[in-house]
């Protein structure tokens, strides 16, 4: 019986070691292979790519394993030069999005966890697409490897200090190593819990990509059982919860998942998470002009979060063709921030919108490429 090849990106370092035990190879070769995968970012099992592997190991890998590299179906750069968006092909012909965002002194990969999404947020291109399937751990890891490979050789590992640097200057000084990953691409990560956590374990491995806990951010629309499980498991990551409205009715209108996990249950889960992990939660608030950006809205979210270990990330809406709403103006965002700070002592940031001209809101590249 022909078995499907093992995607090595699916395996943790310990699982790779156990595979070599099963294959009756010395485990030192598993350790070497691991560093070829994640330090050298090798793209095949050839002698050139993995010179220290014995021929019998190479033959076994060629016969029974694979590297689930995701070919590029489409690549676009934003006109400001800060954002590159990839549409990557999966083995079954499905496509997902991965975004490389350059900020001053750092590079962040925004990666997907599902093909499409079942959560149906009304303003989101992925939500408008619907759900197709979960990604495997290897398909999630492969996106981070793809970005790490794209960065290799692009720049010296030095931080630019000028906040107003031009795109060219930022590119020239951006770190060559991937240090930040956000699970904010297509899909709801907590709807694909097992695969996402396996992928995070692989990304986190100190002998591999070595992404520190504070460099991995998981964004959820508010899947309460997943948040409670994260709390119990005390997972090493940052949690971002998409709030968007501070009343149950307002939230349910924007985020259909709120009907399943109401606001009071979500906030109780968030409190439990912070108590058990000692971690602050980032609350995401997509600012939609005339919809949720008034002083009253700011006071409602301030009252909801007052006293909690919280930071609000205000993100002006990325317009999508399927939603009739626009981003809030800069003055409205600033006024919102002032109310949170002055009246409720809740810290907030206004996120830079990235790559609007290349449809870099989640799901947008896939939807225009169809
Ligand atoms: S915003 Fe996130 S959770 Fe909501 S539909 Fe889009 S991908 Fe899914």
């Amino acid at each position: 019986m022909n078995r499907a090849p093992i995607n090595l990106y699916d395996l943790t370092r310990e699982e790779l070691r156990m595979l070599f035990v099963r294959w009756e190879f010395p485990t030192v070769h598993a350790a070497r292979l691991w560093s070829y995968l994640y330090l050298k970012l090798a793209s095949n099992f050839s002698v050139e790519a993995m010179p220290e592997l014995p021929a019998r190991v190479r033959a076994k890998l060629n016969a029974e394993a694979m590297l689930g590299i995701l070919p590029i179906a489409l690549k676009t750069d934003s006109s400001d030069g800060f954002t590159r968006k990839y549409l990557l092909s999966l083995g079954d012909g499905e496509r997902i999005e991965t975004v490389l965002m350059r900020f001053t002194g750092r590079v962040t990969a925004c990666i997907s966890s599902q093909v499409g999404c079942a959560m149906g947020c009304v303003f989101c291109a992925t939500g408008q697409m619907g759900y197709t399937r979960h990604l495997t751990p290897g398909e999630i890891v492969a996106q981070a490897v793809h970005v790490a490979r794209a960065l290799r050789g692009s720049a010296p590992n030095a931080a630019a200090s000028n906040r107003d640097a031009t795109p060219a200057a930022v590119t020239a000084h951006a770190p060559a190593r991937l240090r930040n990953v956000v699970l904010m691409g297509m899909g709801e990560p907590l709807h694909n819990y097992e695969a996402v956590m396996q992928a995070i374990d692989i990304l986190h491995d100190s002998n591999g990509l070595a992404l520190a806990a504070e460099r991995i951010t998981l964004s959820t629309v508010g899947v309460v059982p997943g948040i409670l499980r994260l709390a119990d498991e005390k997972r090493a990551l940052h949690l971002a919860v998409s709030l968007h409205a501070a009343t149950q009715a307002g939230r349910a209108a924007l985020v259909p998942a709120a009907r399943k996990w109401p606001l009071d249950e979500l906030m109780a889960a968030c409190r439990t998470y912070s108590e058990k992990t000692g971690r602050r939660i980032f609350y995401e608030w997509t600012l939609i002009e005339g919809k949720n950006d008034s002083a009253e809205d700011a006071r409602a979210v301030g009252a909801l979060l007052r006293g909690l270990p919280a930071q609000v990330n205000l993100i002006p809406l990325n317009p999508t063709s399927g939603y009739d709403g626009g981003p809030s103006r800069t003055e409205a965002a600033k006024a919102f921030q002032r109310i949170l700070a002055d009246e409720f002592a809740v810290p907030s940031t206004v996120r830079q919108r990235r790559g609007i001209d290349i449809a870099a809101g989640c799901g947008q590249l896939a939807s225009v490429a169809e």
Side-chain angles (χ1 to χ4, degrees):
M1 188 178 74
N2 280 341
R3 273 192 303 197
I6 299 163
N7 182 359
L8 297 184
Y9 291 141
D10 274 332
L11 306 181
T12 62
R13 183 154 49 98
E14 176 59 15
E15 288 168 345
L16 187 64
R17 194 184 73 80
M18 293 309 295
L19 180 67
F20 273 56
V21 169
R22 184 151 58 82
W23 282 349
E24 299 181 351
F25 290 142
T27 53
V28 64
H29 298 315
R32 282 197 186 118
L33 177 56
W34 184 265
S35 44
Y36 285 133
L37 296 182
Y38 296 110
L39 298 179
K40 303 282 185 206
L41 304 174
S43 55
N44 57 62
F45 304 136
S46 67
V47 180
E48 293 72 29
M50 303 186 174
E52 290 183 46
L53 287 188
R56 66 186 195 287
V57 173
R58 197 181 318 284
K60 188 77 169 171
L61 290 172
N62 279 320
E64 297 191 24
M66 61 175 273
L67 276 183
I69 289 170
L70 307 178
I72 300 171
L74 194 64
K75 179 173 76 175
T76 50
D77 287 306
S78 62
S79 56
D80 63 13
F82 287 104
T83 304
R84 172 167 291 180
K85 186 156 184 169
Y86 299 96
L87 187 64
L88 301 176
S89 296
L90 306 178
D92 60 359
E94 296 293 346
R95 291 166 166 190
I96 50 166
E97 297 173 1
T98 303
V99 182
L100 186 166
M101 294 174 286
R102 295 181 189 276
F103 299 88
T104 306
R106 71 192 156 94
V107 174
T108 296
C110 177
I111 64 180
S112 297
S113 56
Q114 296 176 315
V115 181
C117 183
M119 299 297 138
C121 304
V122 295
F123 49 80
C124 167
T126 306
Q128 290 154 16
M129 247 179 242
Y131 168 80
T132 302
R133 71 166 172 88
H134 291 320
L135 295 187
T136 63
E139 289 168 336
I140 299 168
V141 169
Q143 297 172 68
V145 171
H146 175 86
V147 172
R149 215 179 261 132
L151 291 172
R152 173 150 293 182
S154 68
N157 194 359
S161 55
N162 180 3
R163 289 186 62 81
D164 300 321
T166 63
V170 170
T171 300
H173 294 285
R177 214 187 111 196
L178 175 64
R179 291 185 190 275
N180 300 280
V181 163
V182 294
L183 280 144
M184 293 185 182
M186 298 169 77
E188 162 53 58
L190 295 184
H191 185 207
N192 185 15
Y193 192 96
E194 304 288 345
V196 165
M197 295 310 147
Q198 171 91 350
I200 287 175
D201 287 344
I202 295 167
L203 299 179
H204 194 47
D205 190 294
S206 57
N207 287 12
L209 290 176
L211 286 155
E214 64 273 15
R215 307 281 190 170
I216 300 176
T217 302
L218 182 151
S219 175
T220 178
V221 77
V223 177
V224 166
I227 294 171
L228 294 174
R229 194 167 162 193
L230 282 178
D232 282 341
E233 295 175 4
K234 296 192 172 54
R235 286 276 172 178
L237 47 79
H238 274 319
L239 180 63
V241 172
S242 298
L243 212 48
H244 308 315
T247 63
Q248 171 58 17
R251 212 168 166 265
L254 292 172
V255 181
R259 292 175 209 144
K260 186 164 184 185
W261 298 293
L263 185 61
D264 53 350
E265 283 181 31
L266 171 61
M267 293 314 298
C270 290
R271 275 191 289 276
T272 301
Y273 175 87
S274 289
E275 281 162 17
K276 287 196 176 175
T277 63
R279 287 180 181 272
R280 175 177 63 157
I281 294 178
F282 296 97
Y283 292 90
E284 310 272 315
W285 191 277
T286 296
L287 280 169
I288 308 168
E289 186 170 36
K291 192 95 182 167
N292 65 355
D293 64 349
S294 68
E296 194 187 355
D297 292 312
R299 290 193 177 98
V301 68
L304 192 69
L305 300 181
R306 180 166 25 205
L308 294 179
Q311 170 159 332
V312 177
N313 289 330
L314 300 165
I315 311 147
L317 178 76
N318 264 358
T320 58
S321 58
Y323 180 64
D324 183 25
S328 302
R329 291 166 200 276
T330 306
E331 310 81 68
K334 285 187 176 155
F336 203 104
Q337 256 194 309
R338 272 196 303 276
I339 290 172
L340 290 179
D342 297 348
E343 299 181 26
F344 300 93
V346 172
S348 66
T349 57
V350 179
R351 283 261 193 84
Q352 296 160 278
R353 292 194 302 155
R354 290 291 186 186
I356 298 303
D357 56 323
I358 56 164
C362 69
Q364 292 183 62
L365 190 65
S367 59
V368 297
E370 280 171 353

